[in-house]
PDB file of all heavy atoms in Angstrom:
ATOM      1  N   LYS B  39      86.507 127.402 115.440  1.00 89.00           N
ATOM      2  CA  LYS B  39      85.812 127.496 116.693  1.00 89.00           C
ATOM      3  C   LYS B  39      84.293 127.302 116.464  1.00 89.00           C
ATOM      4  O   LYS B  39      83.668 126.480 117.179  1.00 89.00           O
ATOM      5  CB  LYS B  39      85.978 128.809 117.482  1.00 89.00           C
ATOM      6  CG  LYS B  39      87.473 128.918 117.940  1.00 89.00           C
ATOM      7  CD  LYS B  39      87.659 130.237 118.737  1.00 89.00           C
ATOM      8  CE  LYS B  39      89.005 130.271 119.289  1.00 89.00           C
ATOM      9  NZ  LYS B  39      89.290 131.463 120.072  1.00 89.00           N
ATOM     10  N   PHE B  55      87.474 120.872 105.523  1.00 86.00           N
ATOM     11  CA  PHE B  55      88.136 121.972 106.330  1.00 86.00           C
ATOM     12  C   PHE B  55      89.377 122.492 105.638  1.00 86.00           C
ATOM     13  O   PHE B  55      90.175 121.673 105.152  1.00 86.00           O
ATOM     14  CB  PHE B  55      88.459 121.323 107.661  1.00 86.00           C
ATOM     15  CG  PHE B  55      88.850 122.374 108.665  1.00 86.00           C
ATOM     16  CD1 PHE B  55      87.770 122.772 109.584  1.00 86.00           C
ATOM     17  CD2 PHE B  55      90.055 123.062 108.797  1.00 86.00           C
ATOM     18  CE1 PHE B  55      88.034 123.746 110.687  1.00 86.00           C
ATOM     19  CE2 PHE B  55      90.258 123.935 109.766  1.00 86.00           C
ATOM     20  CZ  PHE B  55      89.263 124.310 110.706  1.00 86.00           C
ATOM     21  N   ILE B  57      92.952 123.664 105.593  1.00 78.00           N
ATOM     22  CA  ILE B  57      94.040 123.353 106.660  1.00 78.00           C
ATOM     23  C   ILE B  57      94.627 124.611 107.177  1.00 78.00           C
ATOM     24  O   ILE B  57      95.113 124.677 108.361  1.00 78.00           O
ATOM     25  CB  ILE B  57      95.058 122.378 105.959  1.00 78.00           C
ATOM     26  CG1 ILE B  57      95.779 121.744 107.054  1.00 78.00           C
ATOM     27  CG2 ILE B  57      95.873 123.254 104.983  1.00 78.00           C
ATOM     28  CD1 ILE B  57      96.667 120.630 106.440  1.00 78.00           C
ATOM     29  N   GLU B  61      93.402 131.810 113.406  1.00 75.00           N
ATOM     30  CA  GLU B  61      93.072 131.411 114.730  1.00 75.00           C
ATOM     31  C   GLU B  61      93.104 129.919 114.974  1.00 75.00           C
ATOM     32  O   GLU B  61      93.882 129.434 115.749  1.00 75.00           O
ATOM     33  CB  GLU B  61      91.666 131.837 115.148  1.00 75.00           C
ATOM     34  CG  GLU B  61      91.723 133.443 115.223  1.00 75.00           C
ATOM     35  CD  GLU B  61      90.350 133.908 115.766  1.00 75.00           C
ATOM     36  OE1 GLU B  61      89.802 133.285 116.694  1.00 75.00           O
ATOM     37  OE2 GLU B  61      89.914 134.892 115.160  1.00 75.00           O
ATOM     38  N   THR B  62      92.425 129.065 114.252  1.00 77.00           N
ATOM     39  CA  THR B  62      92.345 127.651 114.493  1.00 77.00           C
ATOM     40  C   THR B  62      92.754 126.931 113.109  1.00 77.00           C
ATOM     41  O   THR B  62      91.834 126.882 112.171  1.00 77.00           O
ATOM     42  CB  THR B  62      90.921 127.086 114.989  1.00 77.00           C
ATOM     43  OG1 THR B  62      90.677 127.779 116.140  1.00 77.00           O
ATOM     44  CG2 THR B  62      90.910 125.607 115.291  1.00 77.00           C
ATOM     45  N   ASP B  63      93.913 126.404 112.954  1.00 77.00           N
ATOM     46  CA  ASP B  63      94.224 125.674 111.670  1.00 77.00           C
ATOM     47  C   ASP B  63      93.610 124.368 111.737  1.00 77.00           C
ATOM     48  O   ASP B  63      92.994 123.854 112.731  1.00 77.00           O
ATOM     49  CB  ASP B  63      95.709 125.734 111.480  1.00 77.00           C
ATOM     50  CG  ASP B  63      96.511 124.877 112.415  1.00 77.00           C
ATOM     51  OD1 ASP B  63      95.884 124.004 113.023  1.00 77.00           O
ATOM     52  OD2 ASP B  63      97.669 124.994 112.543  1.00 77.00           O
ATOM     53  N   GLY B  64      93.660 123.756 110.569  1.00 78.00           N
ATOM     54  CA  GLY B  64      93.122 122.384 110.422  1.00 78.00           C
ATOM     55  C   GLY B  64      93.670 121.304 111.343  1.00 78.00           C
ATOM     56  O   GLY B  64      92.867 120.533 111.919  1.00 78.00           O
ATOM     57  N   PHE B  65      94.934 121.484 111.689  1.00 81.00           N
ATOM     58  CA  PHE B  65      95.431 120.457 112.597  1.00 81.00           C
ATOM     59  C   PHE B  65      94.896 120.656 114.165  1.00 81.00           C
ATOM     60  O   PHE B  65      94.580 119.638 114.723  1.00 81.00           O
ATOM     61  CB  PHE B  65      97.004 120.408 112.460  1.00 81.00           C
ATOM     62  CG  PHE B  65      97.458 120.089 111.171  1.00 81.00           C
ATOM     63  CD1 PHE B  65      98.216 121.031 110.347  1.00 81.00           C
ATOM     64  CD2 PHE B  65      97.404 118.824 110.690  1.00 81.00           C
ATOM     65  CE1 PHE B  65      98.566 120.605 109.232  1.00 81.00           C
ATOM     66  CE2 PHE B  65      97.844 118.361 109.427  1.00 81.00           C
ATOM     67  CZ  PHE B  65      98.445 119.354 108.680  1.00 81.00           C
ATOM     68  N   ARG B  66      94.886 121.932 114.480  1.00 86.00           N
ATOM     69  CA  ARG B  66      94.372 122.222 115.805  1.00 86.00           C
ATOM     70  C   ARG B  66      92.889 121.810 115.859  1.00 86.00           C
ATOM     71  O   ARG B  66      92.364 121.277 116.857  1.00 86.00           O
ATOM     72  CB  ARG B  66      94.466 123.683 116.146  1.00 86.00           C
ATOM     73  CG  ARG B  66      93.896 123.983 117.470  1.00 86.00           C
ATOM     74  CD  ARG B  66      94.032 125.510 117.765  1.00 86.00           C
ATOM     75  NE  ARG B  66      95.376 125.693 118.211  1.00 86.00           N
ATOM     76  CZ  ARG B  66      95.967 126.801 118.413  1.00 86.00           C
ATOM     77  NH1 ARG B  66      95.289 127.951 118.252  1.00 86.00           N
ATOM     78  NH2 ARG B  66      97.173 126.861 118.868  1.00 86.00           N
ATOM     79  N   PHE B  67      92.115 122.147 114.820  1.00 86.00           N
ATOM     80  CA  PHE B  67      90.707 121.687 114.757  1.00 86.00           C
ATOM     81  C   PHE B  67      90.528 120.195 114.926  1.00 86.00           C
ATOM     82  O   PHE B  67      89.713 119.716 115.659  1.00 86.00           O
ATOM     83  CB  PHE B  67      90.122 122.132 113.474  1.00 86.00           C
ATOM     84  CG  PHE B  67      88.633 121.697 113.232  1.00 86.00           C
ATOM     85  CD1 PHE B  67      87.615 122.212 113.981  1.00 86.00           C
ATOM     86  CD2 PHE B  67      88.430 120.605 112.305  1.00 86.00           C
ATOM     87  CE1 PHE B  67      86.323 121.791 113.771  1.00 86.00           C
ATOM     88  CE2 PHE B  67      87.136 120.216 112.183  1.00 86.00           C
ATOM     89  CZ  PHE B  67      86.116 120.778 112.916  1.00 86.00           C
ATOM     90  N   LEU B  68      91.450 119.385 114.186  1.00 85.00           N
ATOM     91  CA  LEU B  68      91.328 117.934 114.301  1.00 85.00           C
ATOM     92  C   LEU B  68      91.597 117.515 115.779  1.00 85.00           C
ATOM     93  O   LEU B  68      90.853 116.588 116.212  1.00 85.00           O
ATOM     94  CB  LEU B  68      92.338 117.410 113.288  1.00 85.00           C
ATOM     95  CG  LEU B  68      92.277 115.823 113.099  1.00 85.00           C
ATOM     96  CD1 LEU B  68      90.923 115.344 112.756  1.00 85.00           C
ATOM     97  CD2 LEU B  68      93.370 115.423 112.130  1.00 85.00           C
ATOM     98  N   ARG B  69      92.583 118.107 116.404  1.00 88.00           N
ATOM     99  CA  ARG B  69      92.915 117.702 117.765  1.00 88.00           C
ATOM    100  C   ARG B  69      91.743 118.097 118.657  1.00 88.00           C
ATOM    101  O   ARG B  69      91.431 117.234 119.558  1.00 88.00           O
ATOM    102  CB  ARG B  69      94.291 118.471 118.240  1.00 88.00           C
ATOM    103  CG  ARG B  69      95.425 117.964 117.743  1.00 88.00           C
ATOM    104  CD  ARG B  69      96.638 118.495 118.402  1.00 88.00           C
ATOM    105  NE  ARG B  69      96.767 119.973 118.258  1.00 88.00           N
ATOM    106  CZ  ARG B  69      97.430 120.533 117.217  1.00 88.00           C
ATOM    107  NH1 ARG B  69      97.930 119.910 116.246  1.00 88.00           N
ATOM    108  NH2 ARG B  69      97.479 121.873 117.262  1.00 88.00           N
ATOM    109  N   GLU B  70      91.023 119.158 118.529  1.00 90.00           N
ATOM    110  CA  GLU B  70      90.031 119.559 119.226  1.00 90.00           C
ATOM    111  C   GLU B  70      88.753 118.562 119.055  1.00 90.00           C
ATOM    112  O   GLU B  70      88.100 118.149 119.894  1.00 90.00           O
ATOM    113  CB  GLU B  70      89.550 121.030 118.927  1.00 90.00           C
ATOM    114  CG  GLU B  70      90.414 122.027 119.469  1.00 90.00           C
ATOM    115  CD  GLU B  70      90.511 121.948 121.001  1.00 90.00           C
ATOM    116  OE1 GLU B  70      89.546 121.861 121.758  1.00 90.00           O
ATOM    117  OE2 GLU B  70      91.651 122.046 121.427  1.00 90.00           O
ATOM    118  N   LEU B  71      88.523 118.220 117.830  1.00 89.00           N
ATOM    119  CA  LEU B  71      87.522 117.351 117.332  1.00 89.00           C
ATOM    120  C   LEU B  71      87.632 116.011 118.012  1.00 89.00           C
ATOM    121  O   LEU B  71      86.755 115.301 118.469  1.00 89.00           O
ATOM    122  CB  LEU B  71      87.432 117.187 115.823  1.00 89.00           C
ATOM    123  CG  LEU B  71      86.266 116.572 115.278  1.00 89.00           C
ATOM    124  CD1 LEU B  71      85.106 117.564 115.277  1.00 89.00           C
ATOM    125  CD2 LEU B  71      86.536 116.250 113.783  1.00 89.00           C
ATOM    126  N   GLN B  72      88.951 115.486 118.250  1.00 90.00           N
ATOM    127  CA  GLN B  72      89.315 114.208 118.659  1.00 90.00           C
ATOM    128  C   GLN B  72      88.985 114.059 120.132  1.00 90.00           C
ATOM    129  O   GLN B  72      88.911 113.057 120.797  1.00 90.00           O
ATOM    130  CB  GLN B  72      90.706 113.854 118.448  1.00 90.00           C
ATOM    131  CG  GLN B  72      91.059 113.607 117.034  1.00 90.00           C
ATOM    132  CD  GLN B  72      90.194 112.520 116.382  1.00 90.00           C
ATOM    133  OE1 GLN B  72      90.169 111.365 116.911  1.00 90.00           O
ATOM    134  NE2 GLN B  72      89.507 112.683 115.278  1.00 90.00           N
ATOM    135  N   PHE B  84      90.749 117.563 104.377  1.00 80.00           N
ATOM    136  CA  PHE B  84      91.419 118.929 104.320  1.00 80.00           C
ATOM    137  C   PHE B  84      91.585 119.443 102.980  1.00 80.00           C
ATOM    138  O   PHE B  84      91.856 118.691 101.916  1.00 80.00           O
ATOM    139  CB  PHE B  84      92.900 118.698 104.879  1.00 80.00           C
ATOM    140  CG  PHE B  84      92.986 118.732 106.308  1.00 80.00           C
ATOM    141  CD1 PHE B  84      93.675 117.683 106.880  1.00 80.00           C
ATOM    142  CD2 PHE B  84      92.272 119.548 107.192  1.00 80.00           C
ATOM    143  CE1 PHE B  84      93.764 117.575 108.272  1.00 80.00           C
ATOM    144  CE2 PHE B  84      92.372 119.493 108.519  1.00 80.00           C
ATOM    145  CZ  PHE B  84      93.189 118.513 109.123  1.00 80.00           C
TER     146      PHE B  84
END
Side-chain angles (χ1 to χ4, degrees):
K39 288 182 181 182
F55 196 98
I57 202 167
E61 295 184 40
T62 304
D63 67 20
F65 298 111
R66 177 179 284 171
F67 174 73
L68 186 56
R69 285 191 301 272
E70 290 298 313
L71 198 71
Q72 294 299 309
F84 281 131

